Amino acid sequence: MKQERWGERVGRHFLWVIPLTYLLLFYFYPMWAILQTSLFPEGHFTSEGIVGFIARPYLWKVVWFTVWQALASTGLTLAVGLPTAYLLARYRIPGKSLVQALLTVAFVMPTVVVATAFTALLGPSGLVNDLLMSLLGRSEPVVVLTGTIWAILLAHVFYNIAVVVRIVGSLWRHLDVQVEQAAAVLGASPWRLFREITLPLLLPAIGAASLLVFLFSFTSFGIVLILGGARYSTIEVEIYRQTISFFNLPLAATLSLLQMACTFIVMVVYTRLQQRMSVPLQLRRAAAIERPLGGRRAWVAWGLLLAVLAYEVAPLGVLALRSVIVEGNLTFEFYRALDTNPTRSVFHVKPSIAVRNSILFAFATMVISLTIGTFSAYALALSAEQRHMAWVRRLFDPLILLPLGTSAVTLGFGFIIALDEPPLDLRTSPLLIPIAHSLVAFPFVVRTILPVLRSIDPHLREAAATLGASPWRIWREIDMPIVSRAALVGAVFAFAISMGEFGATALVARPEYPTMPVVIYRFLGQPGQRNYGQALAMSTLLMLVTAAGFLLIERFRYRDIGEF
């Protein structure tokens, strides 16, 4: 018996070996290389990067812009997301699953596609301006939001509404309404009910959702780069520019360290709030607390839902529409043009090659992410069941999530300066791309599988062990049937994230291995209606592939459990 317990203890510790080794090699080592490049470029301490940062006043403006636009994006997202989450959580709404799917599809859209969609809707040649110019008889654009802060904020809200609806709505949907009903019988007003009962219970979920929205906006890259133009720059965009345009590695490394420090603090707070959300509450089935939507309130509710749906669907719909409409005529000219190279550009890539590269990299990312994420989720779940392992969970939970909070550009930059000599000389290897993608994707796998693992009653495993079942048989006959659906969701999530990842790919991808987002950005960076139309066509193809992956996620999600 002692030998069996010793073997189980060794097995539990072994669960940490694979994810920690992977993180040490491909996350902490590149991050350490960034630290060395910033502070110890010649083998001894130098303040070149820090002085370069302090001496450039515009960089302080970049930092301030990064912070306040993330705060503004978070506030606007909460203002739209919380009422939407309430309606979907507490009322019977026809087609609710379709509404939730349409809201969430934006979250899995690649940033390059979202930025291109808003350009097609609100840009100088966008649908809104075409309609206004036609109605007002104007020859110049009437409303141009691209290149302004409003385009960035609108895109961030579009992108992150689903985060609030998923995280806050999932808890709101299952809160016990009997407490509220009892307070109402005692004379409490609806506002007092919300302020003193519902809001305190929802605060951990609201805080966690707010931190994630802030984090995604704080590390925004593709949206700011494309919609903001040269006027606006976040820390993420500035790292890319200092690396690619100026090759100022010490300054880029200093900016990366600053961003990592900020995101680590945010992730520590997020994991603490997530743990608070795990405190047992008297939860009810969603169907038991949903009520029909009627009366004057129904008009307001439907008005809000339809406005939010139009806001989420319109950019993507216009993107697809503009890719097949040229001067009012239906045509597939832009799709056919993808396969031609009339200017004999050395940067031209056939769409079939870009699609092939993206799919191959996505499959490799899926395998890596599922392996690392499953081991990580089991390690965290088992450590939570043992009190003496609580310190391990508190330490490693934010560490495992740290790649999610680290900018993709920072990851790519770390790979460039770290993985350039044996035994990890991967600069010219295509394997570098799925490794970078998996660091962004595997935290999603962890947060998808972990809640399902925690929902498994430990008494089931104990009873099976008492009856003589081996650990392997317990895993095969108890855990696997429950976890497999969540694992499939995590795998498709990783696939979709890899298909649309742009920040790290823009730095580490070799010219001979372009992906679809890289090709889209190349088209957008070249003048002419033809190049713009090709960007629309490629973005539509990427959108369709990503949306198909999301539909699989929703089909196989285990009882709506999971943080994303």
Side-chain angles (χ1 to χ4, degrees), residues 54-100:
I54 297 174
R56 291 172 170 82
Y58 82 91
L59 289 179
W60 290 98
K61 294 180 181 179
V62 168
V63 174
W64 170 238
F65 172 74
T66 303
V67 173
W68 81 256
Q69 66 82 23
L71 290 172
S73 298
T74 303
L76 290 172
T77 304
L78 288 176
V80 178
L82 288 178
T84 307
Y86 169 73
L87 291 175
L88 294 176
R90 288 300 177 91
Y91 290 97
R92 292 192 202 97
I93 297 175
K96 179 186 293 189
S97 58
L98 176 61
V99 173
Q100 290 175 324

mmCIF file of all heavy atoms in Angstrom, residues 54-100:
data_model
loop_
_atom_site.group_PDB
_atom_site.id
_atom_site.type_symbol
_atom_site.label_atom_id
_atom_site.label_comp_id
_atom_site.label_asym_id
_atom_site.label_seq_id
_atom_site.Cartn_x
_atom_site.Cartn_y
_atom_site.Cartn_z
ATOM 1 N N ILE A 54 13.607 56.251 -21.063
ATOM 2 C CA ILE A 54 13.355 57.486 -20.307
ATOM 3 C C ILE A 54 13.579 58.720 -21.179
ATOM 4 O O ILE A 54 12.864 59.720 -21.062
ATOM 5 C CB ILE A 54 14.247 57.528 -19.049
ATOM 6 C CG1 ILE A 54 13.882 56.369 -18.111
ATOM 7 C CG2 ILE A 54 14.119 58.867 -18.332
ATOM 8 C CD1 ILE A 54 14.805 56.250 -16.909
ATOM 9 N N ALA A 55 14.556 58.646 -22.066
ATOM 10 C CA ALA A 55 14.934 59.823 -22.858
ATOM 11 C C ALA A 55 13.969 60.100 -24.006
ATOM 12 O O ALA A 55 14.105 61.127 -24.677
ATOM 13 C CB ALA A 55 16.347 59.640 -23.414
ATOM 14 N N ARG A 56 13.041 59.219 -24.245
ATOM 15 C CA ARG A 56 12.095 59.422 -25.343
ATOM 16 C C ARG A 56 10.711 59.728 -24.776
ATOM 17 O O ARG A 56 9.959 58.818 -24.408
ATOM 18 C CB ARG A 56 12.037 58.173 -26.232
ATOM 19 C CG ARG A 56 13.309 57.918 -27.047
ATOM 20 C CD ARG A 56 13.221 56.572 -27.740
ATOM 21 N NE ARG A 56 14.280 56.372 -28.704
ATOM 22 C CZ ARG A 56 15.509 55.968 -28.392
ATOM 23 N NH1 ARG A 56 15.825 55.724 -27.115
ATOM 24 N NH2 ARG A 56 16.420 55.798 -29.343
ATOM 25 N N PRO A 57 10.340 61.006 -24.739
ATOM 26 C CA PRO A 57 9.033 61.365 -24.163
ATOM 27 C C PRO A 57 7.857 60.695 -24.865
ATOM 28 O O PRO A 57 6.840 60.396 -24.229
ATOM 29 C CB PRO A 57 8.985 62.890 -24.331
ATOM 30 C CG PRO A 57 10.418 63.311 -24.428
ATOM 31 C CD PRO A 57 11.110 62.181 -25.126
ATOM 32 N N TYR A 58 8.001 60.427 -26.157
ATOM 33 C CA TYR A 58 6.865 59.838 -26.865
ATOM 34 C C TYR A 58 6.568 58.426 -26.371
ATOM 35 O O TYR A 58 5.421 57.950 -26.473
ATOM 36 C CB TYR A 58 7.114 59.845 -28.381
ATOM 37 C CG TYR A 58 7.951 58.719 -28.905
ATOM 38 C CD1 TYR A 58 7.366 57.528 -29.345
ATOM 39 C CD2 TYR A 58 9.339 58.816 -28.965
ATOM 40 C CE1 TYR A 58 8.132 56.488 -29.837
ATOM 41 C CE2 TYR A 58 10.113 57.784 -29.457
ATOM 42 C CZ TYR A 58 9.501 56.632 -29.891
ATOM 43 O OH TYR A 58 10.269 55.605 -30.370
ATOM 44 N N LEU A 59 7.592 57.739 -25.819
ATOM 45 C CA LEU A 59 7.343 56.397 -25.287
ATOM 46 C C LEU A 59 6.471 56.449 -24.038
ATOM 47 O O LEU A 59 5.683 55.536 -23.785
ATOM 48 C CB LEU A 59 8.671 55.694 -24.990
ATOM 49 C CG LEU A 59 9.488 55.267 -26.215
ATOM 50 C CD1 LEU A 59 10.791 54.609 -25.774
ATOM 51 C CD2 LEU A 59 8.687 54.323 -27.096
ATOM 52 N N TRP A 60 6.624 57.510 -23.244
ATOM 53 C CA TRP A 60 5.744 57.666 -22.084
ATOM 54 C C TRP A 60 4.304 57.878 -22.550
ATOM 55 O O TRP A 60 3.353 57.409 -21.911
ATOM 56 C CB TRP A 60 6.200 58.842 -21.229
ATOM 57 C CG TRP A 60 7.481 58.577 -20.520
ATOM 58 C CD1 TRP A 60 8.727 58.964 -20.895
ATOM 59 C CD2 TRP A 60 7.647 57.822 -19.315
ATOM 60 N NE1 TRP A 60 9.667 58.508 -20.005
ATOM 61 C CE2 TRP A 60 9.031 57.806 -19.015
ATOM 62 C CE3 TRP A 60 6.777 57.161 -18.453
ATOM 63 C CZ2 TRP A 60 9.544 57.163 -17.908
ATOM 64 C CZ3 TRP A 60 7.293 56.517 -17.342
ATOM 65 C CH2 TRP A 60 8.659 56.518 -17.080
ATOM 66 N N LYS A 61 4.148 58.584 -23.672
ATOM 67 C CA LYS A 61 2.814 58.755 -24.238
ATOM 68 C C LYS A 61 2.257 57.419 -24.735
ATOM 69 O O LYS A 61 1.058 57.159 -24.618
ATOM 70 C CB LYS A 61 2.864 59.766 -25.389
ATOM 71 C CG LYS A 61 3.225 61.181 -24.954
ATOM 72 C CD LYS A 61 3.248 62.130 -26.141
ATOM 73 C CE LYS A 61 3.634 63.538 -25.705
ATOM 74 N NZ LYS A 61 3.688 64.482 -26.859
ATOM 75 N N VAL A 62 3.146 56.579 -25.272
ATOM 76 C CA VAL A 62 2.716 55.244 -25.712
ATOM 77 C C VAL A 62 2.208 54.434 -24.526
ATOM 78 O O VAL A 62 1.156 53.778 -24.599
ATOM 79 C CB VAL A 62 3.881 54.515 -26.416
ATOM 80 C CG1 VAL A 62 3.547 53.033 -26.617
ATOM 81 C CG2 VAL A 62 4.194 55.162 -27.763
ATOM 82 N N VAL A 63 2.956 54.468 -23.408
ATOM 83 C CA VAL A 63 2.541 53.728 -22.211
ATOM 84 C C VAL A 63 1.206 54.257 -21.694
ATOM 85 O O VAL A 63 0.300 53.483 -21.360
ATOM 86 C CB VAL A 63 3.625 53.833 -21.118
ATOM 87 C CG1 VAL A 63 3.133 53.200 -19.818
ATOM 88 C CG2 VAL A 63 4.908 53.152 -21.577
ATOM 89 N N TRP A 64 1.075 55.576 -21.628
ATOM 90 C CA TRP A 64 -0.167 56.169 -21.127
ATOM 91 C C TRP A 64 -1.337 55.829 -22.052
ATOM 92 O O TRP A 64 -2.427 55.466 -21.578
ATOM 93 C CB TRP A 64 -0.008 57.673 -21.001
ATOM 94 C CG TRP A 64 -1.279 58.422 -20.724
ATOM 95 C CD1 TRP A 64 -1.839 59.411 -21.464
ATOM 96 C CD2 TRP A 64 -2.175 58.219 -19.614
ATOM 97 N NE1 TRP A 64 -3.016 59.849 -20.909
ATOM 98 C CE2 TRP A 64 -3.252 59.130 -19.773
ATOM 99 C CE3 TRP A 64 -2.176 57.352 -18.529
ATOM 100 C CZ2 TRP A 64 -4.300 59.205 -18.868
ATOM 101 C CZ3 TRP A 64 -3.238 57.424 -17.630
ATOM 102 C CH2 TRP A 64 -4.281 58.342 -17.800
ATOM 103 N N PHE A 65 -1.107 55.898 -23.369
ATOM 104 C CA PHE A 65 -2.172 55.546 -24.299
ATOM 105 C C PHE A 65 -2.566 54.084 -24.145
ATOM 106 O O PHE A 65 -3.761 53.746 -24.177
ATOM 107 C CB PHE A 65 -1.727 55.818 -25.739
ATOM 108 C CG PHE A 65 -2.697 55.309 -26.767
ATOM 109 C CD1 PHE A 65 -3.887 55.967 -26.994
ATOM 110 C CD2 PHE A 65 -2.426 54.143 -27.487
ATOM 111 C CE1 PHE A 65 -4.804 55.491 -27.937
ATOM 112 C CE2 PHE A 65 -3.324 53.669 -28.426
ATOM 113 C CZ PHE A 65 -4.529 54.346 -28.650
ATOM 114 N N THR A 66 -1.589 53.199 -23.974
ATOM 115 C CA THR A 66 -1.882 51.777 -23.798
ATOM 116 C C THR A 66 -2.790 51.548 -22.604
ATOM 117 O O THR A 66 -3.750 50.773 -22.673
ATOM 118 C CB THR A 66 -0.572 50.986 -23.619
ATOM 119 O OG1 THR A 66 0.287 51.218 -24.737
ATOM 120 C CG2 THR A 66 -0.856 49.498 -23.508
ATOM 121 N N VAL A 67 -2.510 52.241 -21.493
ATOM 122 C CA VAL A 67 -3.280 52.049 -20.266
ATOM 123 C C VAL A 67 -4.677 52.627 -20.399
ATOM 124 O O VAL A 67 -5.681 51.948 -20.120
ATOM 125 C CB VAL A 67 -2.547 52.682 -19.063
ATOM 126 C CG1 VAL A 67 -3.423 52.629 -17.813
ATOM 127 C CG2 VAL A 67 -1.226 51.969 -18.808
ATOM 128 N N TRP A 68 -4.780 53.889 -20.848
ATOM 129 C CA TRP A 68 -6.109 54.513 -20.812
ATOM 130 C C TRP A 68 -7.042 53.962 -21.877
ATOM 131 O O TRP A 68 -8.258 53.868 -21.654
ATOM 132 C CB TRP A 68 -6.007 56.028 -20.859
ATOM 133 C CG TRP A 68 -5.813 56.690 -22.192
ATOM 134 C CD1 TRP A 68 -4.675 57.222 -22.686
ATOM 135 C CD2 TRP A 68 -6.826 56.945 -23.188
ATOM 136 N NE1 TRP A 68 -4.885 57.770 -23.926
ATOM 137 C CE2 TRP A 68 -6.212 57.626 -24.256
ATOM 138 C CE3 TRP A 68 -8.182 56.667 -23.282
ATOM 139 C CZ2 TRP A 68 -6.882 58.021 -25.402
ATOM 140 C CZ3 TRP A 68 -8.877 57.056 -24.434
ATOM 141 C CH2 TRP A 68 -8.231 57.730 -25.467
ATOM 142 N N GLN A 69 -6.497 53.557 -23.045
ATOM 143 C CA GLN A 69 -7.396 52.959 -24.038
ATOM 144 C C GLN A 69 -7.887 51.598 -23.571
ATOM 145 O O GLN A 69 -9.016 51.195 -23.875
ATOM 146 C CB GLN A 69 -6.712 52.871 -25.408
ATOM 147 C CG GLN A 69 -5.515 51.947 -25.527
ATOM 148 C CD GLN A 69 -5.869 50.494 -25.747
ATOM 149 O OE1 GLN A 69 -6.953 50.188 -26.232
ATOM 150 N NE2 GLN A 69 -4.973 49.598 -25.385
ATOM 151 N N ALA A 70 -7.043 50.858 -22.813
ATOM 152 C CA ALA A 70 -7.483 49.571 -22.256
ATOM 153 C C ALA A 70 -8.564 49.783 -21.198
ATOM 154 O O ALA A 70 -9.547 49.032 -21.138
ATOM 155 C CB ALA A 70 -6.297 48.816 -21.673
ATOM 156 N N LEU A 71 -8.395 50.818 -20.358
ATOM 157 C CA LEU A 71 -9.420 51.133 -19.357
ATOM 158 C C LEU A 71 -10.720 51.562 -20.027
ATOM 159 O O LEU A 71 -11.817 51.137 -19.624
ATOM 160 C CB LEU A 71 -8.918 52.233 -18.423
ATOM 161 C CG LEU A 71 -7.804 51.844 -17.445
ATOM 162 C CD1 LEU A 71 -7.278 53.080 -16.725
ATOM 163 C CD2 LEU A 71 -8.311 50.809 -16.436
ATOM 164 N N ALA A 72 -10.609 52.415 -21.047
ATOM 165 C CA ALA A 72 -11.809 52.862 -21.761
ATOM 166 C C ALA A 72 -12.495 51.691 -22.454
ATOM 167 O O ALA A 72 -13.732 51.573 -22.422
ATOM 168 C CB ALA A 72 -11.437 53.945 -22.772
ATOM 169 N N SER A 73 -11.717 50.812 -23.070
ATOM 170 C CA SER A 73 -12.292 49.633 -23.736
ATOM 171 C C SER A 73 -13.003 48.740 -22.736
ATOM 172 O O SER A 73 -14.100 48.216 -23.011
ATOM 173 C CB SER A 73 -11.192 48.849 -24.453
ATOM 174 O OG SER A 73 -10.571 49.624 -25.462
ATOM 175 N N THR A 74 -12.412 48.582 -21.550
ATOM 176 C CA THR A 74 -13.021 47.744 -20.510
ATOM 177 C C THR A 74 -14.335 48.340 -20.033
ATOM 178 O O THR A 74 -15.345 47.636 -19.895
ATOM 179 C CB THR A 74 -12.054 47.576 -19.331
ATOM 180 O OG1 THR A 74 -10.814 47.027 -19.794
ATOM 181 C CG2 THR A 74 -12.641 46.658 -18.278
ATOM 182 N N GLY A 75 -14.343 49.666 -19.773
ATOM 183 C CA GLY A 75 -15.567 50.316 -19.317
ATOM 184 C C GLY A 75 -16.686 50.222 -20.337
ATOM 185 O O GLY A 75 -17.845 49.906 -19.989
ATOM 186 N N LEU A 76 -16.384 50.473 -21.601
ATOM 187 C CA LEU A 76 -17.402 50.393 -22.650
ATOM 188 C C LEU A 76 -17.905 48.961 -22.830
ATOM 189 O O LEU A 76 -19.100 48.728 -23.047
ATOM 190 C CB LEU A 76 -16.825 50.917 -23.962
ATOM 191 C CG LEU A 76 -16.554 52.420 -24.035
ATOM 192 C CD1 LEU A 76 -15.814 52.766 -25.319
ATOM 193 C CD2 LEU A 76 -17.853 53.211 -23.937
ATOM 194 N N THR A 77 -16.990 47.992 -22.735
ATOM 195 C CA THR A 77 -17.394 46.584 -22.880
ATOM 196 C C THR A 77 -18.325 46.166 -21.750
ATOM 197 O O THR A 77 -19.325 45.468 -21.981
ATOM 198 C CB THR A 77 -16.157 45.675 -22.912
ATOM 199 O OG1 THR A 77 -15.278 46.089 -23.961
ATOM 200 C CG2 THR A 77 -16.556 44.232 -23.128
ATOM 201 N N LEU A 78 -18.022 46.584 -20.522
ATOM 202 C CA LEU A 78 -18.902 46.265 -19.392
ATOM 203 C C LEU A 78 -20.265 46.931 -19.561
ATOM 204 O O LEU A 78 -21.304 46.331 -19.239
ATOM 205 C CB LEU A 78 -18.260 46.719 -18.085
ATOM 206 C CG LEU A 78 -17.057 45.913 -17.585
ATOM 207 C CD1 LEU A 78 -16.470 46.552 -16.338
ATOM 208 C CD2 LEU A 78 -17.449 44.463 -17.293
ATOM 209 N N ALA A 79 -20.276 48.169 -20.057
ATOM 210 C CA ALA A 79 -21.542 48.882 -20.227
ATOM 211 C C ALA A 79 -22.463 48.160 -21.202
ATOM 212 O O ALA A 79 -23.692 48.179 -21.046
ATOM 213 C CB ALA A 79 -21.266 50.307 -20.716
ATOM 214 N N VAL A 80 -21.899 47.507 -22.206
ATOM 215 C CA VAL A 80 -22.706 46.764 -23.178
ATOM 216 C C VAL A 80 -22.895 45.315 -22.739
ATOM 217 O O VAL A 80 -23.978 44.737 -22.880
ATOM 218 C CB VAL A 80 -22.048 46.811 -24.572
ATOM 219 C CG1 VAL A 80 -22.858 45.998 -25.582
ATOM 220 C CG2 VAL A 80 -21.906 48.243 -25.055
ATOM 221 N N GLY A 81 -21.847 44.710 -22.177
ATOM 222 C CA GLY A 81 -21.870 43.284 -21.888
ATOM 223 C C GLY A 81 -22.722 42.903 -20.693
ATOM 224 O O GLY A 81 -23.387 41.846 -20.717
ATOM 225 N N LEU A 82 -22.733 43.705 -19.629
ATOM 226 C CA LEU A 82 -23.483 43.330 -18.430
ATOM 227 C C LEU A 82 -24.994 43.285 -18.666
ATOM 228 O O LEU A 82 -25.644 42.303 -18.271
ATOM 229 C CB LEU A 82 -23.146 44.286 -17.276
ATOM 230 C CG LEU A 82 -21.742 44.117 -16.663
ATOM 231 C CD1 LEU A 82 -21.500 45.148 -15.574
ATOM 232 C CD2 LEU A 82 -21.568 42.709 -16.099
ATOM 233 N N PRO A 83 -25.617 44.300 -19.288
ATOM 234 C CA PRO A 83 -27.052 44.159 -19.582
ATOM 235 C C PRO A 83 -27.351 42.975 -20.497
ATOM 236 O O PRO A 83 -28.365 42.290 -20.319
ATOM 237 C CB PRO A 83 -27.399 45.492 -20.260
ATOM 238 C CG PRO A 83 -26.351 46.449 -19.815
ATOM 239 C CD PRO A 83 -25.109 45.628 -19.670
ATOM 240 N N THR A 84 -26.474 42.727 -21.461
ATOM 241 C CA THR A 84 -26.678 41.586 -22.357
ATOM 242 C C THR A 84 -26.583 40.278 -21.591
ATOM 243 O O THR A 84 -27.392 39.358 -21.799
ATOM 244 C CB THR A 84 -25.640 41.620 -23.492
ATOM 245 O OG1 THR A 84 -25.666 42.889 -24.148
ATOM 246 C CG2 THR A 84 -25.922 40.530 -24.505
ATOM 247 N N ALA A 85 -25.590 40.177 -20.700
ATOM 248 C CA ALA A 85 -25.439 38.968 -19.887
ATOM 249 C C ALA A 85 -26.663 38.738 -19.013
ATOM 250 O O ALA A 85 -27.122 37.602 -18.837
ATOM 251 C CB ALA A 85 -24.178 39.075 -19.028
ATOM 252 N N TYR A 86 -27.223 39.821 -18.455
ATOM 253 C CA TYR A 86 -28.412 39.707 -17.598
ATOM 254 C C TYR A 86 -29.606 39.161 -18.385
ATOM 255 O O TYR A 86 -30.295 38.245 -17.933
ATOM 256 C CB TYR A 86 -28.749 41.072 -17.004
ATOM 257 C CG TYR A 86 -30.098 41.125 -16.323
ATOM 258 C CD1 TYR A 86 -30.304 40.496 -15.089
ATOM 259 C CD2 TYR A 86 -31.170 41.787 -16.917
ATOM 260 C CE1 TYR A 86 -31.545 40.531 -14.473
ATOM 261 C CE2 TYR A 86 -32.407 41.830 -16.310
ATOM 262 C CZ TYR A 86 -32.600 41.204 -15.088
ATOM 263 O OH TYR A 86 -33.820 41.236 -14.487
ATOM 264 N N LEU A 87 -29.832 39.721 -19.562
ATOM 265 C CA LEU A 87 -30.977 39.283 -20.356
ATOM 266 C C LEU A 87 -30.845 37.819 -20.751
ATOM 267 O O LEU A 87 -31.819 37.049 -20.675
ATOM 268 C CB LEU A 87 -31.105 40.152 -21.601
ATOM 269 C CG LEU A 87 -31.513 41.610 -21.368
ATOM 270 C CD1 LEU A 87 -31.475 42.389 -22.670
ATOM 271 C CD2 LEU A 87 -32.907 41.694 -20.744
ATOM 272 N N LEU A 88 -29.655 37.414 -21.173
ATOM 273 C CA LEU A 88 -29.461 36.031 -21.594
ATOM 274 C C LEU A 88 -29.468 35.064 -20.415
ATOM 275 O O LEU A 88 -29.758 33.875 -20.594
ATOM 276 C CB LEU A 88 -28.141 35.915 -22.359
ATOM 277 C CG LEU A 88 -28.083 36.666 -23.698
ATOM 278 C CD1 LEU A 88 -26.696 36.545 -24.312
ATOM 279 C CD2 LEU A 88 -29.134 36.134 -24.667
ATOM 280 N N ALA A 89 -29.145 35.566 -19.219
ATOM 281 C CA ALA A 89 -29.083 34.689 -18.045
ATOM 282 C C ALA A 89 -30.447 34.485 -17.400
ATOM 283 O O ALA A 89 -30.745 33.394 -16.907
ATOM 284 C CB ALA A 89 -28.114 35.269 -17.016
ATOM 285 N N ARG A 90 -31.299 35.496 -17.406
ATOM 286 C CA ARG A 90 -32.507 35.435 -16.596
ATOM 287 C C ARG A 90 -33.816 35.322 -17.373
ATOM 288 O O ARG A 90 -34.872 35.192 -16.762
ATOM 289 C CB ARG A 90 -32.568 36.679 -15.690
ATOM 290 C CG ARG A 90 -31.537 36.648 -14.557
ATOM 291 C CD ARG A 90 -31.763 35.437 -13.679
ATOM 292 N NE ARG A 90 -30.788 35.293 -12.619
ATOM 293 C CZ ARG A 90 -30.925 35.795 -11.392
ATOM 294 N NH1 ARG A 90 -31.977 36.522 -11.101
ATOM 295 N NH2 ARG A 90 -30.004 35.582 -10.483
ATOM 296 N N TYR A 91 -33.780 35.393 -18.698
ATOM 297 C CA TYR A 91 -35.020 35.361 -19.460
ATOM 298 C C TYR A 91 -34.994 34.256 -20.514
ATOM 299 O O TYR A 91 -33.942 33.904 -21.030
ATOM 300 C CB TYR A 91 -35.269 36.709 -20.151
ATOM 301 C CG TYR A 91 -35.620 37.818 -19.181
ATOM 302 C CD1 TYR A 91 -34.634 38.705 -18.739
ATOM 303 C CD2 TYR A 91 -36.912 37.975 -18.699
ATOM 304 C CE1 TYR A 91 -34.941 39.714 -17.844
ATOM 305 C CE2 TYR A 91 -37.227 38.977 -17.807
ATOM 306 C CZ TYR A 91 -36.242 39.845 -17.380
ATOM 307 O OH TYR A 91 -36.545 40.832 -16.482
ATOM 308 N N ARG A 92 -36.195 33.718 -20.788
ATOM 309 C CA ARG A 92 -36.346 32.750 -21.881
ATOM 310 C C ARG A 92 -36.479 33.541 -23.178
ATOM 311 O O ARG A 92 -37.478 34.216 -23.414
ATOM 312 C CB ARG A 92 -37.592 31.881 -21.675
ATOM 313 C CG ARG A 92 -37.495 30.947 -20.492
ATOM 314 C CD ARG A 92 -38.630 29.919 -20.520
ATOM 315 N NE ARG A 92 -38.858 29.375 -19.204
ATOM 316 C CZ ARG A 92 -39.793 29.795 -18.357
ATOM 317 N NH1 ARG A 92 -40.606 30.773 -18.732
ATOM 318 N NH2 ARG A 92 -39.930 29.266 -17.169
ATOM 319 N N ILE A 93 -35.469 33.444 -23.982
ATOM 320 C CA ILE A 93 -35.427 34.191 -25.229
ATOM 321 C C ILE A 93 -35.362 33.200 -26.384
ATOM 322 O O ILE A 93 -34.458 32.344 -26.412
ATOM 323 C CB ILE A 93 -34.211 35.136 -25.266
ATOM 324 C CG1 ILE A 93 -34.329 36.169 -24.142
ATOM 325 C CG2 ILE A 93 -34.085 35.825 -26.609
ATOM 326 C CD1 ILE A 93 -33.130 37.066 -24.007
ATOM 327 N N PRO A 94 -36.293 33.268 -27.309
ATOM 328 C CA PRO A 94 -36.246 32.343 -28.457
ATOM 329 C C PRO A 94 -34.922 32.481 -29.210
ATOM 330 O O PRO A 94 -34.452 33.594 -29.473
ATOM 331 C CB PRO A 94 -37.427 32.811 -29.326
ATOM 332 C CG PRO A 94 -38.343 33.529 -28.380
ATOM 333 C CD PRO A 94 -37.464 34.167 -27.352
ATOM 334 N N GLY A 95 -34.330 31.358 -29.536
ATOM 335 C CA GLY A 95 -33.066 31.381 -30.261
ATOM 336 C C GLY A 95 -31.894 31.850 -29.431
ATOM 337 O O GLY A 95 -30.928 32.382 -29.966
ATOM 338 N N LYS A 96 -31.976 31.636 -28.105
ATOM 339 C CA LYS A 96 -30.915 32.122 -27.224
ATOM 340 C C LYS A 96 -29.561 31.523 -27.584
ATOM 341 O O LYS A 96 -28.537 32.215 -27.590
ATOM 342 C CB LYS A 96 -31.235 31.798 -25.762
ATOM 343 C CG LYS A 96 -30.163 32.257 -24.785
ATOM 344 C CD LYS A 96 -30.431 31.793 -23.366
ATOM 345 C CE LYS A 96 -31.653 32.465 -22.807
ATOM 346 N NZ LYS A 96 -31.816 32.190 -21.351
ATOM 347 N N SER A 97 -29.520 30.235 -27.912
ATOM 348 C CA SER A 97 -28.241 29.604 -28.242
ATOM 349 C C SER A 97 -27.628 30.231 -29.489
ATOM 350 O O SER A 97 -26.406 30.407 -29.575
ATOM 351 C CB SER A 97 -28.423 28.100 -28.449
ATOM 352 O OG SER A 97 -29.363 27.851 -29.488
ATOM 353 N N LEU A 98 -28.479 30.594 -30.456
ATOM 354 C CA LEU A 98 -27.973 31.258 -31.663
ATOM 355 C C LEU A 98 -27.436 32.643 -31.329
ATOM 356 O O LEU A 98 -26.392 33.057 -31.843
ATOM 357 C CB LEU A 98 -29.087 31.360 -32.707
ATOM 358 C CG LEU A 98 -28.734 32.111 -33.998
ATOM 359 C CD1 LEU A 98 -27.587 31.411 -34.714
ATOM 360 C CD2 LEU A 98 -29.956 32.232 -34.900
ATOM 361 N N VAL A 99 -28.141 33.361 -30.450
ATOM 362 C CA VAL A 99 -27.677 34.689 -30.028
ATOM 363 C C VAL A 99 -26.311 34.591 -29.369
ATOM 364 O O VAL A 99 -25.390 35.361 -29.673
ATOM 365 C CB VAL A 99 -28.701 35.340 -29.071
ATOM 366 C CG1 VAL A 99 -28.141 36.643 -28.494
ATOM 367 C CG2 VAL A 99 -30.008 35.617 -29.793
ATOM 368 N N GLN A 100 -26.163 33.623 -28.454
ATOM 369 C CA GLN A 100 -24.883 33.456 -27.772
ATOM 370 C C GLN A 100 -23.782 33.068 -28.747
ATOM 371 O O GLN A 100 -22.638 33.528 -28.621
ATOM 372 C CB GLN A 100 -25.023 32.395 -26.673
ATOM 373 C CG GLN A 100 -25.877 32.853 -25.500
ATOM 374 C CD GLN A 100 -26.096 31.753 -24.482
ATOM 375 O OE1 GLN A 100 -26.233 30.583 -24.833
ATOM 376 N NE2 GLN A 100 -26.127 32.117 -23.212
#
